[in-house]
Amino acid sequence: MNATPTLQAAPLEWGHGPRIFEVFLEPTCPFSVKAFNKLDALLERVGEENVTVKIRLQSQPWHMFSGVIVRYILAASTLPEGKAAAWKVMKAVGDHREEFEFTDHCSGPNMDATPNEIMARIERYSGVNVDAPFARADLQQLIKWHCKYARQNGIHVSPTFMVNGLVQPDLGSGDDISVWAERILA
């Protein structure tokens, strides 16, 4: 008999409206960070009663610590603070993005960094400790879900946006939130 309870993650969703705005983000991608930093303003503009914003994590191998960071975020979502803890981690990584990235995706100071060092940086910046859930083998089911969901929707790049289940290839991180709002409310 397994005495370890099933790992429960809070969905990375904000708002509770009928329109669904899904954002596929890679936490260290500069364009994803730009999009992530607009989500609060978008929710305020459109109204939490009108839209549900769902973050989907899109790990990308050319961002070489992507897998470790995505796992950290999803581990944070299993903590009692749930999605608030995951948000803090995403914000901390975004605010210090270059400390988690490689120069030209292949060189620079992080060549000597270990996953443990990356995790320690995230904890230092976010204040969120995920040692226990990060080490749980069953966390991989949540990671795989994000990956499979992106693949089944043909997602390759970050950020990618979906409105009510349809990919919006003409929306980008450089758009003003009024453009996103108009599409969501159309």
Side-chain angles (χ1 to χ4, degrees):
M1 184 160 128
N2 186 357
T4 305
T6 303
L7 197 60
Q8 297 294 317
L12 302 180
E13 301 177 1
W14 290 266
H16 50 271
R19 293 170 182 94
I20 307 299
F21 188 64
E22 293 176 272
V23 186
F24 293 80
L25 302 174
E26 195 295 318
T28 63
C29 165
F31 304 106
S32 287
V33 171
K34 189 174 188 177
F36 174 78
N37 286 333
K38 294 179 178 183
L39 295 178
D40 276 335
L42 176 70
L43 277 165
E44 187 176 317
R45 181 178 184 123
V46 175
E48 291 188 13
E49 69 284 354
N50 295 318
V51 67
T52 302
V53 172
K54 299 180 179 189
I55 293 178
R56 308 302 190 195
L57 296 172
Q58 173 66 5
S59 185
Q60 297 170 323
W62 52 92
H63 295 285
M64 293 182 35
F65 279 124
S66 184
V68 171
I69 295 168
V70 164
R71 187 178 185 98
Y72 200 107
I73 292 165
L74 292 174
S77 76
T78 70
L79 298 173
E81 301 83 17
K83 66 184 181 182
W87 185 278
K88 284 175 68 175
V89 171
M90 287 185 282
K91 181 75 173 135
V93 169
D95 287 349
H96 302 276
R97 189 190 75 73
E98 291 187 8
E99 293 184 50
F100 300 101
E101 191 54 273
F102 290 77
T103 306
D104 299 323
H105 302 292
C106 63
S107 62
N110 277 331
M111 289 299 290
D112 294 323
T114 67
N116 282 330
E117 289 170 334
I118 293 301
M119 291 173 60
R121 284 182 206 164
I122 296 171
E123 183 177 354
R124 185 172 66 246
Y125 290 132
S126 69
V128 176
N129 177 295
V130 299
D131 288 348
F134 190 95
R136 297 265 309 256
D138 54 342
L139 183 62
Q140 72 187 347
Q141 296 310 315
L142 184 57
I143 297 165
K144 287 179 179 181
W145 183 90
H146 278 257
C147 186
K148 289 175 186 177
Y149 186 73
R151 287 179 181 166
Q152 83 180 18
N153 284 290
I155 307 302
H156 173 66
V157 298
S158 66
T160 296
F161 304 89
M162 284 179 30
V163 175
N164 297 325
L166 298 174
V167 173
Q168 306 294 306
D170 57 332
L171 290 184
S173 61
D175 294 332
D176 188 82
I177 60 167
S178 64
V179 174
W180 296 357
E182 183 179 330
R183 186 69 55 89
I184 291 166
L185 296 173

